[in-house]
């Protein structure tokens, strides 16, 4: 492609960020605040803060079909229909329609995406936990996969840094398996949850129940207020977008901060296809993108590139980035695409409580309780597996939406009174990094923009399946210990993707022979290309991962800008 020097100048930036979700928002904020003229290329449409949250204030009866999924949608969007989660009328418009953006699966893979500014930072659950030293040492200790190239101690100041800005509510507990952070006040546990807490902590030494740590403001700082954010109003309608900016999203926080610097250009409808690598200088010089609407191919140039398209999409971009140096995509280790991880869930227990009939809770708290990992740490596993799991759950007074039989005055009375308390918990289990859990690119099929389709071929294996027995039994046992009735435990078929925590397909490491990225998330051999989303993860732990992507991103930008100033990039 021949372009004039003038055109090249207008398409040149100090830095390019691919994707504007949780990690891309952080890259944009950090790069612009450090003075770099930054282009953010986002494949989806622009989703403006507040004004574009279409259903945020809708009452249940205003939502289409009372928020039920129509049969035609179930039929048309068959992959999404497996969970229904991404096609419900209240927030379905925020999730990618698999019909328009197809992918292939050799084994079931639920790829839940959001293609708009902010990515999944709008729909995420905000549960925010650090990895622990134990998590980051686990691969080395178990001789599994490769060790993390950085320690918890190296990451800890960056956790502090991102927590302070994002705003995490939580309680300090002093637990070695779940390090404390910079917290705003925690959300209260309900009376039912306090009962469960005391039952568990009395019966099992080392098991703890704590308030869920979430990226919601409970005591906003001056910086957060200046960005237009305010305290959580306890509506629990977060997945539709928060008009108070009370939970952390790119729109409410990082993109706003980046915009304030005057250094950011955000280009929506920009599908990045690949990185342009110059074999002579051994550096990337820019990216090639396709305009989603006009189908035009455009190149943009920069000194630094941050890949933050989310684990699978960033990996696909690296695979598409072919040059003399990288004939098979930007990797020389063979690790690219392999070691796909997710958390396995859909296992736990719930029950009913006869206590606290005289009490009701006020407001709709957008979190619940958390039980940090205790197996293979405080307690040995009862079956044959390594690593462990945590639980997320809630104990709530049953409201009007419970299923009630009957008719007439008696039915009306039951419908307008509260029911007993119910309590339940679901496990989040660690998944090991397996070489044969892979994504690749189709050699035959492309989407309408000419990009090869992603092919997923991954499944949970023996270690995860064994772990699930304890995840089910322990949950039921803990509910039993508190005196819950009608306990029902479950262990649904797990599939990769259901946890919505895809990780590991371009892992970090200490050597180009076994990893795609180095200890600062730079692509080996192309040091001005950084990837700081879930693709970089070396192991999964059992904690929700997005806080770690934020910390890795802030740390990598700090390194990138220092290296740029030293003339090394
Ligand atoms: C319902 C739900 C609940 C969740 N709950 C939690 C939770 O409680 N805790 C937690 O830690 N995590 C949670 N997650 C996961 C969390 O949302 C992701 O880990 C996180 O958003 C990943 O950040 P990211 O920047 O890698 O990707 P995303 O936030 O997905 O952003 C990626 C962006 O890149 C864009 N993009 C993709 N491809 C391209 C391309 N080729 N060119 C240009 N742009 C591109 C996308 O449009 C998107 O905007 C949840 C997710 C969902 C959907
Ligand atoms: S519960 Fe809090 S964070 Fe969620 S939408 Fe309401 S105000 Fe926003």
């Amino acid at each position: 492609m021949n372009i004039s020097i003038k055109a090249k100048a207008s398409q040149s930036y100090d830095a390019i960020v691919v994707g504007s979700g949780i990690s891309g928002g952080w890259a944009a904020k950090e790069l612009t605040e450090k003075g770099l003229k930054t282009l953010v290329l986002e494949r989806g449409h622009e989703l403006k803060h507040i004004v574009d949250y279409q259903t945020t204030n809708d009452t249940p009866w205003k939502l289409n079909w009372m928020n039920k999924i129509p049969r035609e949608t179930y039929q048309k969007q068959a992959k999404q229909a497996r969970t229904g989660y991404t096609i419900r009328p209240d927030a379905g418009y925020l999730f990618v329609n698999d019909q328009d953006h197809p992918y292939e699966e050799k084994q079931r893979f639920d790829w839940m995406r959001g293609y708009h500014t902010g990515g999944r930072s709008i729909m995420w659950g905000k549960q925010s936990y650090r990895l622990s030293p134990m998590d980051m040492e686990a691969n080395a200790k178990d001789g599994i996969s490769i060790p993390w190239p950085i320690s918890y101690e190296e990451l800890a100041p960056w956790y502090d840094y991102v927590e302070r800005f994002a705003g995490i509510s939580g309680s300090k507990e002093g637990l070695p398996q779940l390090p404390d952070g910079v917290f705003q006040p925690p959300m209260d546990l309900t009376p039912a949850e306090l009962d469960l807490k005391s039952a568990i902590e009395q019966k099992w030494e080392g098991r703890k129940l704590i308030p869920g740590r979430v990226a919601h403001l409970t005591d906003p700082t001056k910086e957060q207020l200046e960005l237009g954010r305010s305290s959580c109003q306890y509506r629990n309608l977060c997945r539709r977008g928060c008009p108070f900016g009370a939970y952390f999203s790119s729109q409410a926080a990082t993109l706003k901060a980046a915009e304030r610097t005057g250094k950011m250009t955000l280009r929506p409808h920009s599908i990045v296809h690949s990185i342009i690598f110059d074999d002579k200088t051994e550096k990337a010089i820019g990216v090639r993108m396709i305009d989603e609407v006009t189908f035009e191919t455009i190149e943009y140039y920069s000194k630094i590139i941050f890949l933050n398209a989310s684990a699978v999409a960033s990996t696909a971009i690296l695979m598409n980035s072919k040059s003399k140096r990288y004939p098979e995509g930007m990797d020389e280790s063979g690790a690219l695409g392999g070691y796909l991880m997710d958390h396995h869930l859909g296992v736990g227990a719930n029950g009913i409580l006869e206590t606290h009939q005289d009490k009701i809770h006020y407001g709709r708290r957008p979190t619940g309780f958390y039980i940090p990992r205790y197996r293979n740490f405080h307690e040995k596993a009862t079956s044959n597996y390594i690593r462990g799991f945590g639980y997320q759950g809630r104990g709530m007074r049953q409201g009007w939406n419970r299923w009630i039989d009957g008719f007439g005055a008696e039915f009306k009375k039951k419908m307008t009174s509260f029911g007993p308390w119910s309590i339940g918990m679901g496990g989040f289990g660690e998944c090991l990094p397996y070489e044969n859990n892979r994504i690749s690119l189709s050699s035959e099929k492309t989407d309408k923009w000419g990009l090869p389709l992603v092919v997923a071929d991954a499944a949970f294996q023996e270690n995860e399946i064994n772990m699930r027995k304890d995840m089910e039994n322990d949950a039921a046992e803990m509910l039993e210990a508190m005196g819950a009735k009608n306990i029902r435990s479950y262990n649904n078929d797990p599939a990769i993707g259901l946890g919505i925590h895809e990780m590991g397909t371009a892992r970090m490491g200490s050597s180009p022979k076994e990893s795609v990225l180095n200890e600062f998330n730079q692509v080996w051999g192309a040091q001005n290309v950084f990837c700081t989303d879930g693709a970089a993860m070396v192991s999964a732990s059992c904690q929700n991962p997005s806080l770690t992507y934020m910390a890795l991103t802030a740390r990598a930008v700090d390194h990138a800008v220092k290296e740029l100033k030293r003339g090394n990039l």
Side-chain angles (χ1 to χ4, degrees), residues 431-472:
C431 162
L432 297 178
Y434 302 104
E435 205 255 328
N436 62 346
N437 272 348
R438 299 195 75 84
I439 63 144
S440 56
L441 297 182
S442 171
S443 53
E444 289 150 19
K445 293 192 187 162
T446 56
D447 64 13
K448 65 178 169 188
W449 297 276
L451 272 89
L453 298 194
V454 162
V455 183
D457 186 6
F460 294 118
Q461 304 190 19
E462 201 182 339
N463 198 66
E464 293 77 45
I465 304 300
N466 287 345
M467 185 186 294
R468 293 175 75 79
K469 291 177 197 143
D470 271 356
M471 291 165 84
E472 182 181 1

Side-chain angles (χ1 to χ4, degrees), residues 216 231-238 241-244 246-247 364 366:
H216 287 252
S231 275
C232 182
Q233 307 295 307
Y234 294 74
R235 315 156 61 224
N236 200 14
L237 295 176
C238 318
C242 179
F244 302 93
Y247 71 77
R364 295 186 195 144

Side-chain angles (χ1 to χ4, degrees), residues 353-369:
L353 300 176
E354 286 166 353
T355 46
H356 304 299
Q357 296 284 339
D358 57 333
K359 297 192 192 85
I360 182 73
H361 43 77
Y362 177 74
R364 295 186 195 144
R365 184 194 50 171
T367 184
F369 62 81

Side-chain angles (χ1 to χ4, degrees), residues 3-66:
I3 54 165
S4 68
I5 293 175
K6 206 167 149 198
K8 192 162 179 176
S10 73
Q11 286 162 219
S12 295
Y13 294 82
D14 296 327
I16 291 174
V17 177
V18 182
S20 62
I22 289 190
S23 63
W26 266 101
K29 168 182 153 11
E30 294 301 297
L31 288 162
T32 52
E33 286 183 348
K34 289 179 192 299
L36 271 64
K37 196 176 129 204
T38 302
L39 173 67
V40 179
L41 294 172
E42 166 52 56
R43 76 169 291 160
H45 60 92
E46 192 175 0
L47 186 88
K48 287 207 185 75
H49 186 39
I50 305 175
V51 292
D52 284 337
Y53 304 152
Q54 293 173 20
T55 52
T56 187
N57 285 323
D58 281 359
T59 45
W61 49 92
K62 198 174 165 218
L63 292 168
N64 283 341
W65 308 290
M66 290 287 278

Side-chain angles (χ1 to χ4, degrees), residues 97-109:
N97 181 333
D98 289 342
Q99 298 287 294
D100 302 331
H101 302 277
Y103 64 93
E104 302 258 289
E105 50 187 357
K106 290 194 176 161
Q107 304 182 71
R108 178 175 168 182
F109 175 60

